Amino acid sequence: MSMNMTTVGDTGLLDAMQHEVAVFARRAEQTRLGGVGQVRNSMDRAAYLLLNRLDKEGPMGVKALAASMGIDSSTVTRQVAPLVDTGLVKRTSHPEDGRAVVLQLSPRGLSRLEEVRSSRRRLMAELTHDWAPEEREAFCDLLTRFNTALSARMAVTGVGVGDSSPAS
């Protein structure tokens, strides 16, 4: 799916975009967009995305969670293990098939997720305090559009990118 650079825009602009995305990715990982206050840097990306997905979609099996996030089951199993060990996620038997495992956000997990969300909201407010509401909305819309396009491309190429859906 090769594109002629003249059809998609100025190469200088595309170079600037890819550079800013790389800088954003590095800074986001450095801070983990952990927010402000005591909970800053206290939850890694994988844990946040898994907890967030379980909160948004409810209890589900490993395969369903993996499919929902666009990653494989072995990755989910590996990432969920420490969340179970720390009591943020509960493993229960499926009500209809006792052999199947259902993952569920625990009350402690929900509380912890809310702490991190609140801290991240404060960080977003701090970073964009001088932006107009329309600028915040436009940024969110464009970032969502970018993530959706990236996810779609990765789905076509068969390369997993994790979870970049708006529900994350």
Side-chain angles (χ1 to χ4, degrees), residues 37-52:
Q38 293 179 346
V39 293
R40 185 174 178 269
N41 290 331
S42 58
M43 185 177 287
D44 70 34
R45 177 180 42 87
Y48 178 78
L49 292 173
L50 284 167
L51 294 177
N52 196 60

Side-chain angles (χ1 to χ4, degrees), residues 58-62 89-95 97 100-104:
M60 66 180 77
V62 170
V89 170
K90 296 189 295 187
R91 276 192 185 123
T92 59
S93 296
H94 191 282
D97 179 1
V101 172
V102 174
L103 302 170
Q104 181 176 356

Side-chain angles (χ1 to χ4, degrees), residues 1-15 17:
M1 182 180 197
S2 177
M3 291 187 172
N4 180 337
M5 294 306 251
T6 60
T7 63
V8 293
D10 177 59
T11 57
L13 178 59
L14 295 174
D15 285 346
M17 286 173 62

Side-chain angles (χ1 to χ4, degrees), residues 93-157:
S93 296
H94 191 282
E96 297 168 14
D97 179 1
R99 298 169 298 168
V101 172
V102 174
L103 302 170
Q104 181 176 356
L105 192 61
S106 71
R108 182 171 182 239
L110 180 58
S111 174
R112 184 73 186 101
L113 180 60
E114 282 304 320
E115 285 178 349
V116 173
R117 281 179 179 157
S118 176
S119 181
R120 288 179 177 195
R121 276 192 295 272
R122 288 192 310 273
L123 177 63
M124 292 299 107
E126 179 183 309
L127 295 175
T128 63
H129 76 278
D130 59 346
W131 295 18
E134 302 80 31
E135 291 174 311
R136 285 179 175 180
E137 191 170 329
F139 179 72
C140 187
D141 289 346
L142 290 170
L143 191 55
T144 299
R145 185 174 167 191
F146 181 83
N147 282 332
T148 300
L150 186 56
S151 288
R153 182 185 186 284
M154 297 312 245
V156 167
T157 62

Side-chain angles (χ1 to χ4, degrees), residues 53-110:
R53 183 57 54 124
L54 288 171
D55 182 44
K56 299 285 187 198
E57 295 185 20
M60 66 180 77
V62 170
K63 286 183 182 179
L65 183 56
S68 167
M69 296 183 69
I71 57 181
D72 63 55
S73 295
S74 64
T75 301
V76 167
T77 300
R78 186 178 66 253
Q79 291 176 349
V80 163
L83 300 176
V84 171
D85 291 344
T86 58
L88 301 178
V89 170
K90 296 189 295 187
R91 276 192 185 123
T92 59
S93 296
H94 191 282
E96 297 168 14
D97 179 1
R99 298 169 298 168
V101 172
V102 174
L103 302 170
Q104 181 176 356
L105 192 61
S106 71
R108 182 171 182 239
L110 180 58

